[in-house]
Amino acid sequence: MSKELRPLTVGILAIITCAAFEAMAVVTAMPSVARELQGEASYGLAFSMYLTASLLGTVLAGSWCDRRGPRPALGVGMVLMILGLLAAGAAPAFWLVTVGRAISGLGGGFMIVALYVVIARAFPRHLQPVVFGWLSAAWVLPALVGPLVAGIVAENLGWRWVFLGVAPIVLAAVLIVWPKTATLGAAGSDGGTGNTGSDPAGSGGAGSGGAKTDPAGTGNTGAGPTGSSTDEAASARSRALRGIGLAGGVFAAQWALSRLAADGSGSTMSTIAFILLAVAGLIAVFLTLPGLLPPGTLRLAKGLPGIIATRGFVNVAFFGAEAFIPLMLVSARGFDAATAGLALSAGALGWTGGSFLQVRVRFRREWLLVAGSTILSLSLAGFALASSVEAPLWLLVLVWAFSGFAMGMTLSSTSVLVLKFSSASEQGRNSASLQISDQLGGVVGTAGAGALFALLRDPRDPGQVSVFVAIWLALCVFAAAGIVSGLRGAQSSDADPSRNPKNAMEGTVPA
Protein backbone atom coordinates (compact mmCIF):
# COMPACT_ATOMS: atom_id res chain seq x y z
CA MET A 1 0.00 0.00 0.00
CA SER A 2 1.30 3.47 -0.91
CA LYS A 3 2.54 5.90 1.72
CA GLU A 4 -0.25 8.32 0.80
CA LEU A 5 -2.92 5.78 1.79
CA ARG A 6 -1.36 4.58 5.04
CA PRO A 7 -2.53 7.44 7.33
CA LEU A 8 -6.02 7.20 5.84
CA THR A 9 -6.07 3.45 6.43
CA VAL A 10 -4.90 3.86 10.02
CA GLY A 11 -7.59 6.46 10.68
CA ILE A 12 -10.37 4.33 9.20
CA LEU A 13 -9.29 1.33 11.25
CA ALA A 14 -9.10 3.48 14.39
CA ILE A 15 -12.69 4.70 13.86
CA ILE A 16 -13.99 1.16 13.42
CA THR A 17 -12.04 -0.03 16.46
CA CYS A 18 -13.59 2.73 18.57
CA ALA A 19 -17.08 1.84 17.36
CA ALA A 20 -16.44 -1.84 18.10
CA PHE A 21 -15.12 -1.16 21.60
CA GLU A 22 -18.07 1.12 22.32
CA ALA A 23 -20.50 -1.61 21.24
CA MET A 24 -18.82 -4.33 23.32
CA ALA A 25 -18.28 -2.10 26.33
CA VAL A 26 -21.85 -0.85 26.47
CA VAL A 27 -23.23 -4.40 26.51
CA THR A 28 -21.07 -5.09 29.56
CA ALA A 29 -21.83 -1.84 31.37
CA MET A 30 -25.56 -1.54 30.67
CA PRO A 31 -26.73 -3.84 33.49
CA SER A 32 -24.93 -1.57 35.97
CA VAL A 33 -26.49 1.49 34.34
CA ALA A 34 -30.01 0.06 34.53
CA ARG A 35 -29.56 -1.06 38.12
CA GLU A 36 -28.27 2.32 39.33
CA LEU A 37 -30.79 4.41 37.38
CA GLN A 38 -33.77 2.03 37.84
CA GLY A 39 -34.09 1.50 34.11
CA GLU A 40 -34.72 -2.25 33.91
CA ALA A 41 -38.15 -1.79 32.34
CA SER A 42 -36.64 0.20 29.44
CA TYR A 43 -33.44 -1.83 29.19
CA GLY A 44 -33.98 -2.98 25.61
CA LEU A 45 -34.72 0.50 24.33
CA ALA A 46 -31.17 1.62 25.08
CA PHE A 47 -30.02 -0.80 22.36
CA SER A 48 -32.92 -0.53 19.93
CA MET A 49 -32.83 3.28 19.96
CA TYR A 50 -29.18 3.17 18.92
CA LEU A 51 -29.96 0.89 15.96
CA THR A 52 -33.07 2.82 15.00
CA ALA A 53 -31.23 6.14 14.97
CA SER A 54 -28.43 4.48 12.99
CA LEU A 55 -31.01 3.55 10.36
CA LEU A 56 -32.04 7.19 10.05
CA GLY A 57 -28.45 8.42 9.90
CA THR A 58 -27.61 5.86 7.24
CA VAL A 59 -30.44 6.99 4.96
CA LEU A 60 -29.66 10.67 5.34
CA ALA A 61 -25.91 10.17 4.84
CA GLY A 62 -26.26 8.17 1.63
CA SER A 63 -27.70 10.94 -0.53
CA TRP A 64 -25.62 13.55 1.28
CA CYS A 65 -22.36 11.75 0.43
CA ASP A 66 -23.41 11.42 -3.21
CA ARG A 67 -24.10 15.16 -3.42
CA ARG A 68 -21.35 16.60 -1.20
CA GLY A 69 -18.78 13.87 -0.76
CA PRO A 70 -18.02 11.99 2.48
CA ARG A 71 -16.36 14.82 4.40
CA PRO A 72 -19.47 16.67 5.75
CA ALA A 73 -21.22 13.46 6.83
CA LEU A 74 -18.05 12.23 8.56
CA GLY A 75 -17.66 15.48 10.51
CA VAL A 76 -21.30 15.65 11.59
CA GLY A 77 -21.23 11.97 12.52
CA MET A 78 -18.20 12.48 14.73
CA VAL A 79 -19.81 15.38 16.56
CA LEU A 80 -23.06 13.48 17.13
CA MET A 81 -21.32 10.35 18.36
CA ILE A 82 -19.19 12.30 20.85
CA LEU A 83 -22.22 14.28 22.08
CA GLY A 84 -24.15 11.06 22.55
CA LEU A 85 -21.34 9.46 24.54
CA LEU A 86 -21.02 12.52 26.77
CA ALA A 87 -24.79 12.70 27.27
CA ALA A 88 -25.02 9.03 28.23
CA GLY A 89 -22.02 9.28 30.55
CA ALA A 90 -23.45 12.28 32.40
CA ALA A 91 -27.10 11.18 32.41
CA PRO A 92 -28.91 11.40 35.78
CA ALA A 93 -31.80 9.25 34.56
CA PHE A 94 -32.06 6.17 32.38
CA TRP A 95 -34.22 7.83 29.74
CA LEU A 96 -31.39 10.33 29.18
CA VAL A 97 -28.99 7.42 28.68
CA THR A 98 -31.38 6.18 26.01
CA VAL A 99 -31.39 9.62 24.38
CA GLY A 100 -27.60 9.67 24.43
CA ARG A 101 -27.52 6.24 22.79
CA ALA A 102 -29.86 7.50 20.07
CA ILE A 103 -27.62 10.50 19.37
CA SER A 104 -24.58 8.23 19.14
CA GLY A 105 -26.49 5.91 16.83
CA LEU A 106 -27.38 8.78 14.52
CA GLY A 107 -23.72 9.78 14.39
CA GLY A 108 -22.66 6.20 13.79
CA GLY A 109 -25.02 5.97 10.81
CA PHE A 110 -23.47 9.06 9.26
CA MET A 111 -19.92 7.88 9.86
CA ILE A 112 -20.19 4.34 8.50
CA VAL A 113 -21.65 5.45 5.16
CA ALA A 114 -19.02 8.19 4.89
CA LEU A 115 -16.25 5.64 5.50
CA TYR A 116 -17.62 3.34 2.79
CA VAL A 117 -17.57 6.21 0.30
CA VAL A 118 -14.02 7.16 1.37
CA ILE A 119 -12.90 3.59 0.68
CA ALA A 120 -14.63 3.59 -2.70
CA ARG A 121 -13.08 6.86 -3.86
CA ALA A 122 -9.64 6.80 -2.24
CA PHE A 123 -8.56 3.17 -2.68
CA PRO A 124 -7.96 1.30 -5.95
CA ARG A 125 -10.42 -1.50 -6.56
CA HIS A 126 -7.87 -4.25 -5.99
CA LEU A 127 -7.20 -2.88 -2.46
CA GLN A 128 -10.84 -2.52 -1.42
CA PRO A 129 -11.27 -6.21 -0.40
CA VAL A 130 -8.09 -5.88 1.68
CA VAL A 131 -9.42 -2.78 3.45
CA PHE A 132 -12.77 -4.41 4.19
CA GLY A 133 -10.93 -7.42 5.57
CA TRP A 134 -9.02 -5.13 7.90
CA LEU A 135 -12.26 -3.47 8.97
CA SER A 136 -13.52 -6.85 10.15
CA ALA A 137 -10.19 -7.49 11.88
CA ALA A 138 -10.56 -4.16 13.71
CA TRP A 139 -13.35 -5.80 15.73
CA VAL A 140 -11.12 -8.55 17.07
CA LEU A 141 -9.27 -6.71 19.84
CA PRO A 142 -12.41 -4.93 21.14
CA ALA A 143 -14.29 -8.25 21.05
CA LEU A 144 -11.55 -9.95 23.05
CA VAL A 145 -10.77 -7.27 25.63
CA GLY A 146 -13.74 -4.89 25.44
CA PRO A 147 -15.99 -6.71 27.93
CA LEU A 148 -13.08 -7.26 30.35
CA VAL A 149 -11.89 -3.64 30.22
CA ALA A 150 -15.45 -2.31 30.52
CA GLY A 151 -16.10 -4.54 33.51
CA ILE A 152 -12.93 -3.35 35.28
CA VAL A 153 -13.70 0.30 34.53
CA ALA A 154 -17.33 0.01 35.66
CA GLU A 155 -16.31 -1.73 38.87
CA ASN A 156 -13.43 0.56 39.85
CA LEU A 157 -14.22 3.93 38.26
CA GLY A 158 -17.95 3.71 37.64
CA TRP A 159 -20.00 2.88 34.53
CA ARG A 160 -20.03 6.52 33.38
CA TRP A 161 -16.37 6.30 32.39
CA VAL A 162 -17.18 3.51 29.96
CA PHE A 163 -18.98 6.15 27.88
CA LEU A 164 -16.83 9.18 28.70
CA GLY A 165 -13.54 7.36 28.06
CA VAL A 166 -14.43 6.48 24.45
CA ALA A 167 -15.28 10.06 23.36
CA PRO A 168 -11.71 11.46 23.07
CA ILE A 169 -10.57 8.31 21.24
CA VAL A 170 -13.29 8.82 18.61
CA LEU A 171 -12.18 12.43 18.16
CA ALA A 172 -8.53 11.43 17.69
CA ALA A 173 -9.42 8.73 15.15
CA VAL A 174 -11.52 11.06 13.00
CA LEU A 175 -8.85 13.75 13.08
CA ILE A 176 -6.42 11.27 11.49
CA VAL A 177 -8.80 10.69 8.57
CA TRP A 178 -10.05 14.25 8.23
CA PRO A 179 -7.16 15.83 6.22
CA LYS A 180 -7.25 13.00 3.68
CA THR A 181 -10.94 13.55 2.87
CA ALA A 182 -10.47 17.12 1.64
CA THR A 183 -10.00 15.99 -1.98
CA LEU A 184 -12.90 13.51 -1.98
CA GLY A 185 -15.73 15.64 -3.28
CA ALA A 186 -19.10 14.73 -4.68
CA ALA A 187 -19.34 12.12 -7.41
CA GLY A 188 -18.42 13.67 -10.75
CA SER A 189 -16.75 16.71 -9.17
CA ASP A 190 -13.16 17.79 -9.51
CA GLY A 191 -12.67 16.61 -5.94
CA GLY A 192 -12.71 13.08 -7.26
CA THR A 193 -15.09 10.40 -8.16
CA GLY A 194 -12.15 8.17 -8.66
CA ASN A 195 -9.29 7.25 -6.39
CA THR A 196 -5.58 7.18 -6.14
CA GLY A 197 -5.05 4.11 -8.24
CA SER A 198 -8.04 3.34 -10.39
CA ASP A 199 -11.66 4.23 -10.70
CA PRO A 200 -13.46 1.65 -8.56
CA ALA A 201 -16.76 2.29 -10.17
CA GLY A 202 -15.29 2.25 -13.62
CA SER A 203 -17.48 5.17 -14.53
CA GLY A 204 -15.00 7.22 -16.46
CA GLY A 205 -15.06 9.98 -13.87
CA ALA A 206 -12.32 12.37 -12.96
CA GLY A 207 -10.17 9.62 -11.53
CA SER A 208 -9.89 7.96 -14.95
CA GLY A 209 -8.43 11.01 -16.60
CA GLY A 210 -11.36 11.58 -18.95
CA ALA A 211 -14.11 14.13 -19.17
CA LYS A 212 -16.74 13.95 -16.50
CA THR A 213 -19.51 11.62 -17.54
CA ASP A 214 -22.99 10.93 -16.28
CA PRO A 215 -23.00 7.46 -14.73
CA ALA A 216 -26.76 7.38 -14.57
CA GLY A 217 -27.05 7.98 -18.26
CA THR A 218 -29.13 11.14 -17.93
CA GLY A 219 -27.10 13.18 -20.35
CA ASN A 220 -25.55 15.47 -17.76
CA THR A 221 -21.82 15.85 -18.47
CA GLY A 222 -21.07 18.02 -15.49
CA ALA A 223 -20.85 21.22 -17.57
CA GLY A 224 -23.52 22.91 -15.56
CA PRO A 225 -26.84 22.42 -13.77
CA THR A 226 -29.51 20.51 -15.62
CA GLY A 227 -32.89 19.09 -14.83
CA SER A 228 -31.25 15.99 -13.41
CA SER A 229 -29.92 17.93 -10.41
CA THR A 230 -33.49 18.87 -9.50
CA ASP A 231 -34.52 15.23 -9.81
CA GLU A 232 -31.61 14.16 -7.60
CA ALA A 233 -32.58 16.71 -4.94
CA ALA A 234 -36.18 15.50 -5.01
CA SER A 235 -34.98 11.90 -4.74
CA ALA A 236 -32.79 12.82 -1.75
CA ARG A 237 -35.73 14.50 0.00
CA SER A 238 -37.92 11.49 -0.70
CA ARG A 239 -35.34 9.10 0.75
CA ALA A 240 -34.94 11.31 3.83
CA LEU A 241 -38.70 11.26 4.46
CA ARG A 242 -38.80 7.51 3.94
CA GLY A 243 -35.87 7.13 6.33
CA ILE A 244 -37.72 9.11 8.98
CA GLY A 245 -40.80 6.97 8.41
CA LEU A 246 -38.78 3.75 8.66
CA ALA A 247 -36.98 4.82 11.82
CA GLY A 248 -40.26 5.96 13.36
CA GLY A 249 -42.00 2.73 12.44
CA VAL A 250 -39.20 0.57 13.84
CA PHE A 251 -39.14 2.57 17.06
CA ALA A 252 -42.94 2.52 17.48
CA ALA A 253 -43.13 -1.24 16.98
CA GLN A 254 -40.28 -1.98 19.39
CA TRP A 255 -41.45 0.45 22.05
CA ALA A 256 -45.01 -0.86 21.93
CA LEU A 257 -43.86 -4.47 22.19
CA SER A 258 -41.48 -3.63 25.06
CA ARG A 259 -44.30 -1.90 26.95
CA LEU A 260 -46.59 -4.88 26.39
CA ALA A 261 -43.95 -7.16 27.85
CA ALA A 262 -43.21 -4.81 30.78
CA ASP A 263 -46.87 -4.17 31.69
CA GLY A 264 -47.81 -7.83 31.58
CA SER A 265 -51.50 -8.11 32.37
CA GLY A 266 -52.24 -4.41 32.25
CA SER A 267 -55.56 -2.76 31.45
CA THR A 268 -57.39 -3.89 28.36
CA MET A 269 -57.35 -0.39 26.86
CA SER A 270 -53.59 0.03 27.24
CA THR A 271 -52.99 -3.42 25.78
CA ILE A 272 -55.14 -2.61 22.74
CA ALA A 273 -53.39 0.75 22.33
CA PHE A 274 -49.94 -0.84 22.37
CA ILE A 275 -51.02 -3.53 19.91
CA LEU A 276 -52.39 -0.90 17.53
CA LEU A 277 -49.19 1.13 17.85
CA ALA A 278 -47.07 -1.93 17.08
CA VAL A 279 -49.20 -2.73 14.02
CA ALA A 280 -48.98 0.87 12.84
CA GLY A 281 -45.21 0.79 13.23
CA LEU A 282 -44.93 -2.42 11.21
CA ILE A 283 -47.13 -0.95 8.47
CA ALA A 284 -44.87 2.11 8.34
CA VAL A 285 -41.84 -0.17 7.95
CA PHE A 286 -43.37 -2.11 5.07
CA LEU A 287 -44.48 1.08 3.32
CA THR A 288 -41.17 2.92 3.58
CA LEU A 289 -38.56 0.15 3.33
CA PRO A 290 -38.97 -0.68 -0.41
CA GLY A 291 -38.13 2.91 -1.38
CA LEU A 292 -34.86 2.77 0.57
CA LEU A 293 -33.54 -0.38 -1.06
CA PRO A 294 -32.83 -1.21 -4.70
CA PRO A 295 -36.03 -2.28 -6.48
CA GLY A 296 -36.55 -6.00 -6.17
CA THR A 297 -34.68 -6.45 -2.88
CA LEU A 298 -37.74 -7.72 -1.01
CA ARG A 299 -38.49 -10.24 -3.78
CA LEU A 300 -34.82 -11.28 -4.05
CA ALA A 301 -34.21 -10.01 -7.58
CA LYS A 302 -30.99 -10.93 -9.36
CA GLY A 303 -27.75 -9.00 -8.83
CA LEU A 304 -27.45 -6.13 -6.39
CA PRO A 305 -30.90 -6.59 -4.75
CA GLY A 306 -30.08 -10.22 -3.92
CA ILE A 307 -26.69 -9.22 -2.51
CA ILE A 308 -28.21 -6.60 -0.21
CA ALA A 309 -30.96 -9.01 0.89
CA THR A 310 -28.30 -11.58 1.82
CA ARG A 311 -26.70 -9.06 4.14
CA GLY A 312 -29.99 -8.64 5.98
CA PHE A 313 -30.75 -12.36 6.27
CA VAL A 314 -27.39 -13.37 7.72
CA ASN A 315 -27.51 -10.47 10.20
CA VAL A 316 -30.91 -11.59 11.44
CA ALA A 317 -29.56 -15.09 12.04
CA PHE A 318 -26.18 -14.26 13.54
CA PHE A 319 -26.96 -11.32 15.82
CA GLY A 320 -30.24 -12.79 17.02
CA ALA A 321 -28.34 -15.91 18.12
CA GLU A 322 -25.36 -14.04 19.53
CA ALA A 323 -27.53 -11.98 21.88
CA PHE A 324 -28.78 -15.12 23.66
CA ILE A 325 -25.67 -17.28 23.75
CA PRO A 326 -24.29 -15.76 26.99
CA LEU A 327 -27.73 -16.00 28.60
CA MET A 328 -28.00 -19.69 27.71
CA LEU A 329 -24.51 -20.49 28.97
CA VAL A 330 -25.08 -18.65 32.25
CA SER A 331 -28.69 -19.56 33.05
CA ALA A 332 -28.94 -23.05 31.57
CA ARG A 333 -25.36 -24.36 31.83
CA GLY A 334 -24.22 -22.53 34.97
CA PHE A 335 -21.08 -20.87 33.56
CA ASP A 336 -19.94 -17.48 34.84
CA ALA A 337 -20.12 -14.44 32.56
CA ALA A 338 -16.39 -14.40 31.79
CA THR A 339 -16.45 -18.03 30.69
CA ALA A 340 -19.60 -17.47 28.64
CA GLY A 341 -17.79 -14.67 26.84
CA LEU A 342 -15.36 -17.20 25.36
CA ALA A 343 -17.96 -18.11 22.75
CA LEU A 344 -18.29 -14.50 21.65
CA SER A 345 -14.51 -14.13 21.48
CA ALA A 346 -14.31 -17.28 19.35
CA GLY A 347 -16.92 -15.83 17.02
CA ALA A 348 -14.84 -12.68 16.64
CA LEU A 349 -11.73 -14.67 15.80
CA GLY A 350 -13.65 -16.73 13.27
CA TRP A 351 -15.03 -13.52 11.76
CA THR A 352 -11.49 -12.28 11.22
CA GLY A 353 -10.47 -15.50 9.54
CA GLY A 354 -13.41 -15.32 7.15
CA SER A 355 -12.80 -11.69 6.28
CA PHE A 356 -9.17 -12.39 5.37
CA LEU A 357 -10.06 -15.49 3.39
CA GLN A 358 -12.34 -13.52 1.08
CA VAL A 359 -9.39 -11.38 0.00
CA ARG A 360 -7.69 -14.42 -1.54
CA VAL A 361 -10.53 -15.90 -3.58
CA ARG A 362 -9.85 -16.57 -7.25
CA PHE A 363 -13.42 -17.37 -8.29
CA ARG A 364 -16.43 -15.06 -8.57
CA ARG A 365 -16.94 -13.34 -5.23
CA GLU A 366 -20.72 -13.72 -5.41
CA TRP A 367 -20.38 -17.41 -4.56
CA LEU A 368 -18.89 -16.49 -1.17
CA LEU A 369 -22.35 -15.26 -0.19
CA VAL A 370 -23.78 -18.71 -0.90
CA ALA A 371 -20.94 -20.46 0.91
CA GLY A 372 -21.13 -18.14 3.92
CA SER A 373 -24.90 -18.49 4.30
CA THR A 374 -24.57 -22.28 4.03
CA ILE A 375 -21.88 -22.44 6.72
CA LEU A 376 -23.95 -20.17 8.97
CA SER A 377 -27.04 -22.37 8.53
CA LEU A 378 -25.09 -25.50 9.40
CA SER A 379 -23.42 -23.79 12.37
CA LEU A 380 -26.72 -22.65 13.87
CA ALA A 381 -28.23 -26.09 13.40
CA GLY A 382 -25.12 -27.62 14.96
CA PHE A 383 -25.27 -25.19 17.87
CA ALA A 384 -28.89 -26.15 18.49
CA LEU A 385 -27.99 -29.85 18.45
CA ALA A 386 -24.95 -29.35 20.70
CA SER A 387 -27.03 -27.29 23.15
CA SER A 388 -29.79 -29.89 23.32
CA VAL A 389 -27.38 -32.71 24.27
CA GLU A 390 -25.40 -30.49 26.68
CA ALA A 391 -22.18 -30.80 24.69
CA PRO A 392 -18.95 -29.59 26.35
CA LEU A 393 -18.15 -25.89 26.25
CA TRP A 394 -15.21 -26.29 23.86
CA LEU A 395 -17.51 -27.78 21.23
CA LEU A 396 -20.01 -24.92 21.54
CA VAL A 397 -17.14 -22.44 21.25
CA LEU A 398 -15.82 -24.18 18.15
CA VAL A 399 -19.23 -24.25 16.45
CA TRP A 400 -19.77 -20.57 17.11
CA ALA A 401 -16.33 -19.78 15.69
CA PHE A 402 -17.54 -21.25 12.39
CA SER A 403 -20.57 -18.93 12.56
CA GLY A 404 -18.22 -15.97 12.92
CA PHE A 405 -16.12 -17.30 10.03
CA ALA A 406 -19.21 -17.37 7.81
CA MET A 407 -20.12 -13.80 8.75
CA GLY A 408 -16.63 -12.43 8.12
CA MET A 409 -16.56 -14.00 4.69
CA THR A 410 -20.10 -12.92 3.76
CA LEU A 411 -20.24 -9.37 5.07
CA SER A 412 -16.88 -8.31 3.66
CA SER A 413 -17.91 -9.74 0.29
CA THR A 414 -21.25 -7.92 0.25
CA SER A 415 -19.44 -4.64 0.94
CA VAL A 416 -17.04 -5.19 -1.96
CA LEU A 417 -19.80 -6.31 -4.34
CA VAL A 418 -22.02 -3.32 -3.62
CA LEU A 419 -19.19 -0.94 -4.54
CA LYS A 420 -18.37 -3.05 -7.60
CA PHE A 421 -21.96 -2.95 -8.88
CA SER A 422 -22.42 0.81 -8.19
CA SER A 423 -21.50 3.71 -10.42
CA ALA A 424 -19.63 6.55 -8.74
CA SER A 425 -22.74 8.70 -8.32
CA GLU A 426 -24.57 5.84 -6.58
CA GLN A 427 -21.89 4.67 -4.15
CA GLY A 428 -23.29 6.61 -1.21
CA ARG A 429 -26.88 5.63 -1.87
CA ASN A 430 -26.14 1.95 -2.33
CA SER A 431 -23.78 1.89 0.66
CA ALA A 432 -26.66 3.37 2.65
CA SER A 433 -29.00 0.65 1.37
CA LEU A 434 -26.48 -1.98 2.45
CA GLN A 435 -26.27 -0.48 5.93
CA ILE A 436 -30.06 -0.28 6.19
CA SER A 437 -30.26 -3.99 5.43
CA ASP A 438 -27.43 -4.60 7.90
CA GLN A 439 -28.97 -2.63 10.76
CA LEU A 440 -32.54 -3.73 10.16
CA GLY A 441 -31.35 -7.32 10.16
CA GLY A 442 -29.78 -6.82 13.57
CA VAL A 443 -32.95 -5.23 14.93
CA VAL A 444 -35.20 -7.99 13.56
CA GLY A 445 -32.88 -10.73 14.80
CA THR A 446 -32.54 -9.50 18.38
CA ALA A 447 -36.15 -8.36 18.70
CA GLY A 448 -37.52 -11.54 17.13
CA ALA A 449 -35.36 -13.80 19.28
CA GLY A 450 -36.41 -11.81 22.34
CA ALA A 451 -40.10 -12.16 21.49
CA LEU A 452 -39.72 -15.91 20.98
CA PHE A 453 -37.86 -16.21 24.27
CA ALA A 454 -40.59 -14.31 26.13
CA LEU A 455 -43.28 -16.46 24.50
CA LEU A 456 -41.71 -19.86 25.24
CA ARG A 457 -39.86 -19.44 28.52
CA ASP A 458 -41.25 -20.71 31.81
CA PRO A 459 -40.57 -18.19 34.63
CA ARG A 460 -40.38 -21.12 37.05
CA ASP A 461 -37.59 -22.72 34.99
CA PRO A 462 -35.52 -19.93 33.37
CA GLY A 463 -32.77 -22.34 32.37
CA GLN A 464 -34.81 -24.36 29.87
CA VAL A 465 -32.40 -25.38 27.11
CA SER A 466 -35.30 -26.24 24.79
CA VAL A 467 -36.27 -22.56 24.59
CA PHE A 468 -32.83 -21.60 23.32
CA VAL A 469 -32.77 -24.53 20.90
CA ALA A 470 -36.04 -23.25 19.42
CA ILE A 471 -34.44 -19.81 18.96
CA TRP A 472 -31.37 -21.23 17.16
CA LEU A 473 -33.55 -23.31 14.84
CA ALA A 474 -35.87 -20.39 14.04
CA LEU A 475 -32.90 -18.19 13.17
CA CYS A 476 -31.44 -20.98 11.06
CA VAL A 477 -34.37 -20.42 8.67
CA PHE A 478 -33.11 -16.88 7.97
CA ALA A 479 -29.59 -18.14 7.30
CA ALA A 480 -31.09 -20.62 4.83
CA ALA A 481 -32.93 -17.73 3.17
CA GLY A 482 -29.50 -16.13 2.75
CA ILE A 483 -28.50 -19.09 0.59
CA VAL A 484 -31.42 -18.37 -1.75
CA SER A 485 -30.75 -14.63 -1.94
CA GLY A 486 -27.03 -15.32 -2.41
CA LEU A 487 -27.81 -17.53 -5.39
CA ARG A 488 -29.94 -14.74 -6.83
CA GLY A 489 -27.13 -12.26 -6.34
CA ALA A 490 -24.71 -14.58 -8.13
CA GLN A 491 -26.92 -14.62 -11.24
CA SER A 492 -25.91 -11.14 -12.41
CA SER A 493 -22.28 -11.14 -13.51
CA ASP A 494 -22.94 -8.47 -16.12
CA ALA A 495 -23.87 -5.83 -13.57
CA ASP A 496 -20.29 -4.61 -13.18
CA PRO A 497 -20.34 -0.89 -14.10
CA SER A 498 -16.82 -1.16 -15.44
CA ARG A 499 -18.27 -3.14 -18.34
CA ASN A 500 -21.10 -0.74 -19.08
CA PRO A 501 -20.84 2.33 -16.87
CA LYS A 502 -23.69 4.20 -18.47
CA ASN A 503 -26.26 1.53 -17.81
CA ALA A 504 -24.80 -0.01 -14.69
CA MET A 505 -27.56 1.12 -12.37
CA GLU A 506 -30.51 1.03 -14.75
CA GLY A 507 -33.33 -0.90 -13.14
CA THR A 508 -31.36 -1.22 -9.92
CA VAL A 509 -31.68 2.04 -7.98
CA PRO A 510 -34.39 4.67 -8.46
CA ALA A 511 -33.24 7.88 -10.11
Side-chain angles (χ1 to χ4, degrees):
M1 183 173 293
S2 65
K3 294 181 179 180
E4 293 77 11
L5 290 177
R6 288 174 188 169
L8 180 61
T9 305
V10 171
I12 291 173
L13 294 177
I15 292 174
I16 297 299
T17 300
C18 290
F21 180 82
E22 192 257 4
M24 293 292 180
V26 166
V27 172
T28 304
M30 196 58 69
S32 300
V33 179
R35 182 170 56 251
E36 180 176 323
L37 301 180
Q38 292 80 48
E40 290 85 354
S42 302
Y43 183 84
L45 288 180
F47 298 98
S48 62
M49 280 293 289
Y50 182 95
L51 293 172
T52 302
S54 293
L55 279 173
L56 178 58
T58 296
V59 174
L60 297 178
S63 298
W64 194 9
C65 287
D66 285 335
R67 289 182 288 113
R68 302 294 183 185
R71 189 177 174 92
L74 181 64
V76 171
M78 176 197 67
V79 172
L80 289 173
M81 177 165 278
I82 292 175
L83 288 177
L85 289 168
L86 296 178
F94 192 80
W95 71 269
L96 288 174
V97 174
T98 303
V99 171
R101 294 290 293 150
I103 296 173
S104 290
L106 185 62
F110 278 114
M111 290 176 68
I112 190 63
V113 174
L115 289 180
Y116 270 51
V117 177
V118 168
I119 293 170
R121 298 181 184 173
F123 290 85
R125 175 174 288 179
H126 71 278
L127 287 179
Q128 291 172 10
V130 178
V131 176
F132 282 116
W134 288 345
L135 294 189
S136 294
W139 277 80
V140 174
L141 185 61
L144 293 175
V145 305
L148 176 62
V149 172
I152 294 174
V153 170
E155 182 177 347
N156 294 280
L157 300 178
W159 61 263
R160 297 183 185 276
W161 286 103
V162 174
F163 295 94
L164 299 176
V166 177
I169 303 175
V170 173
L171 175 61
V174 174
L175 290 179
I176 296 174
V177 175
W178 188 254
K180 300 297 181 180
T181 62
T183 59
L184 302 178
S189 70
D190 291 334
T193 64
N195 49 56
T196 59
S198 65
D199 181 9
S203 59
S208 62
K212 286 181 283 187
T213 62
D214 175 25
T218 59
N220 181 10
T221 62
T226 69
S228 64
S229 61
T230 303
D231 294 338
E232 291 173 359
S235 176
R237 287 193 297 270
S238 176
R239 285 178 64 82
L241 291 175
R242 285 193 177 104
I244 293 172
L246 176 63
V250 170
F251 170 74
Q254 289 185 94
W255 185 78
L257 291 174
S258 69
R259 294 312 306 167
L260 282 171
D263 291 350
S265 56
S267 66
T268 302
M269 291 302 297
S270 63
T271 299
I272 293 175
F274 286 134
I275 292 175
L276 292 176
L277 181 59
V279 171
L282 292 175
I283 291 175
V285 170
F286 283 110
L287 289 177
T288 55
L289 183 59
L292 296 171
L293 300 174
T297 300
L298 299 184
R299 57 181 174 84
L300 308 184
K302 297 178 181 179
L304 185 64
I307 292 168
I308 290 179
T310 302
R311 178 83 161 228
F313 282 135
V314 297
N315 270 6
V316 171
F318 182 85
F319 290 108
E322 184 184 54
F324 283 86
I325 286 176
L327 181 61
M328 186 273 290
L329 292 175
V330 171
S331 64
R333 298 293 301 274
F335 295 107
D336 57 47
T339 303
L342 290 175
L344 303 185
S345 298
L349 291 174
W351 192 307
T352 303
S355 65
F356 276 104
L357 175 69
Q358 58 84 29
V359 177
R360 294 167 174 80
V361 297
R362 294 296 180 264
F363 51 85
R364 283 181 55 203
R365 181 174 296 276
E366 291 89 331
W367 292 109
L368 287 179
L369 275 59
V370 180
S373 299
T374 301
I375 295 172
L376 182 60
S377 299
L378 295 174
S379 298
L380 287 174
F383 203 90
L385 177 61
S387 300
S388 64
V389 300
E390 297 190 2
L393 177 64
W394 68 264
L395 182 58
L396 294 173
V397 170
L398 178 62
V399 172
W400 191 245
F402 277 102
S403 296
F405 177 84
M407 289 297 288
M409 181 169 58
T410 305
L411 264 63
S412 293
S413 294
T414 57
S415 299
V416 174
L417 288 169
V418 164
L419 294 182
K420 173 184 175 182
F421 289 167
S422 301
S423 62
S425 63
E426 303 286 358
Q427 289 164 350
R429 184 185 300 181
N430 288 343
S431 294
S433 295
L434 185 66
Q435 291 306 309
I436 289 170
S437 181
D438 186 291
Q439 294 160 349
L440 193 59
V443 173
V444 172
T446 53
L452 188 59
F453 179 76
L455 179 65
L456 299 179
R457 70 183 291 267
D458 183 356
R460 296 168 297 180
D461 185 14
Q464 283 182 303
V465 175
S466 60
V467 175
F468 298 101
V469 170
I471 292 175
W472 313 149
L473 293 177
L475 293 170
C476 185
V477 174
F478 288 93
I483 301 174
V484 178
S485 59
L487 286 170
R488 297 289 287 172
Q491 293 176 11
S492 182
S493 60
D494 296 329
D496 189 342
S498 65
R499 302 183 183 185
N500 193 355
K502 184 175 181 179
N503 299 319
M505 301 307 296
E506 288 184 4
T508 305
V509 177

